[in-house]
Amino acid sequence: MRSNRCAALLAAVLLAGAGCAPGDHGDPSNAPGEAPGQAGATMSDAAFDKVKLDTFEESAGTPKAGDDFEGILIAMPSKLPAGSLERIPLCGVWSFNNKVLGQFPIVEDSLVFLARNVQTHETATGHFRMHEDPARASDMTTSDDAPPPPASHDDELISDEDITARGYFNFNLARVWKVPERPGKWRVHLVLHDVQSNEVEFEVVK
């Protein structure tokens, strides 16, 4: 009788332990939308159909970025029909401090894309340049302009690295790159000088 009770108690302990095992809750490193190769993986491809391309605002295709995010984050549809490659959404968000922005007055004009075919290893690169060259300081100053106010003591305590700005873009990759109209997988990322975005993968299908 005692052996039966011990066996039942042991089985209950083992079952409780199995219920608390980490594997039952899923591997957090494989959580949806956090795969290193595809930002915004939880978005459906249909979400990109609603995006107005070559605009600079948050959209249905914008990947999620935390409040303290700094860098470039991009997202694309996972599949694109070979017969509809005149529209290839590439959506993203950037966030940089003023020190970095001082080097790139218009971030979107400085972004360079790099694409590589997974099977054939052929590559493509280019930039999106949408804006006109920024106005020079001399063009923006007139004799009627008042001199800037002196910096307050509080301003001196705030450095350029403490101030960040954020922007959005919804590029049409097809505008700057004619993707071969044949089945294949491509990996794309953006570069801003020495800053690289995450890498996304899209597949051209029949």
Side-chain angles (χ1 to χ4, degrees):
M1 189 70 167
R2 176 178 295 182
S3 60
N4 289 341
R5 288 180 179 177
C6 290
L9 180 61
L10 179 60
V13 170
L14 290 174
L15 286 173
C20 297
D24 278 6
H25 299 288
D27 183 354
S29 64
N30 294 324
E34 294 182 3
Q38 180 75 39
T42 54
M43 288 184 285
S44 68
D45 285 359
F48 292 92
D49 294 339
K50 307 172 185 177
V51 177
K52 184 177 180 181
L53 300 184
D54 288 329
T55 57
F56 304 94
E57 58 194 13
E58 193 169 6
S59 71
T62 301
K64 303 301 181 185
D67 293 339
D68 57 350
F69 169 76
E70 284 197 39
I72 308 166
L73 198 57
I74 62 173
M76 293 181 66
S78 60
K79 295 182 184 294
L80 294 165
S84 304
L85 294 179
E86 70 281 353
R87 186 182 192 277
I88 305 177
L90 192 163
C91 303
V93 54
W94 58 260
S95 182
F96 294 111
N97 61 47
N98 278 1
K99 184 176 181 180
V100 175
L101 291 177
Q103 306 172 55
F104 308 101
I106 301 179
V107 171
E108 294 82 6
D109 272 6
S110 302
L111 290 172
V112 174
F113 81 85
L114 293 147
R116 180 174 62 86
N117 187 291
V118 175
Q119 292 95 356
T120 66
H121 303 294
E122 58 192 303
T123 60
T125 185
H127 55 73
F128 295 94
R129 294 204 187 281
M130 289 284 296
H131 300 84
E132 296 179 357
D133 292 336
R136 295 171 299 177
S138 58
D139 295 333
M140 301 171 65
T141 305
T142 68
S143 57
D144 296 331
D145 288 338
S152 68
H153 180 67
D154 290 340
D155 291 338
E156 295 174 0
L157 299 178
I158 302 176
S159 70
D160 283 343
E161 295 182 2
D162 295 327
I163 303 172
T164 60
R166 178 170 294 199
Y168 304 92
F169 54 87
N170 305 292
F171 287 130
N172 183 5
L173 188 57
R175 180 171 60 80
V176 294
W177 173 36
K178 184 173 177 58
V179 179
E181 295 184 1
R182 64 174 186 272
K185 288 185 177 181
W186 294 85
R187 289 179 180 163
V188 178
H189 70 280
L190 300 186
V191 176
L192 180 70
H193 192 50
D194 58 347
V195 179
Q196 296 195 35
S197 75
N198 59 307
E199 187 177 66
V200 295
E201 183 175 286
F202 73 92
E203 182 178 8
V204 177
V205 296
K206 290 183 179 180

